[in-house]
């Protein structure tokens, strides 16, 4: 609510704090989801770009090294 000057008056500080915490957590999850989306698009583009005949001639790019 607002007072006669138009300033915000916090009637329930516990609710306000809960909303802040909820928004912070939601923002964190949105950022993680965006990161996963970018990783998925990157993997898709790498797979599509790597399916050309030139990439097949080079052979596999990963190498397995066994450690004792």
């Amino acid at each position: 609510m607002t007072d006669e000057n138009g300033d915000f008056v916090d009637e329930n500080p516990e609710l306000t704090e809960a909303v802040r915490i909820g928004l912070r957590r939601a923002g964190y999850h949105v950022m993680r989801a965006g990161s996963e989306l970018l990783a998925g698009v990157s993997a898709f583009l790498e797979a599509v770009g790597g399916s050309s005949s030139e990439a097949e001639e080079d052979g596999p790019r990963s190498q397995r090294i066994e450690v004792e």
Side-chain angles (χ1 to χ4, degrees):
M1 296 188 98
T2 58
D3 61 8
E4 61 276 352
N5 297 328
D7 296 329
F8 179 73
V9 177
D10 189 10
E11 293 182 4
N12 192 346
E14 293 150 354
L15 177 63
T16 303
E17 186 63 23
V19 169
R20 284 183 186 155
I21 291 171
L23 288 174
R24 189 179 320 131
R25 288 180 181 172
Y28 170 74
H29 287 290
V30 167
M31 288 177 54
R32 283 187 59 192
S35 173
E36 290 295 325
L37 177 65
L38 288 175
V41 169
S42 175
F44 171 75
L45 292 175
E46 185 177 308
V48 170
S51 65
S52 67
S53 61
E54 294 175 6
E56 293 174 3
E57 293 174 3
D58 293 340
R61 294 185 181 183
S62 62
Q63 179 179 4
R64 182 181 175 119
I65 300 173
E66 295 192 23
V67 180
E68 292 182 23

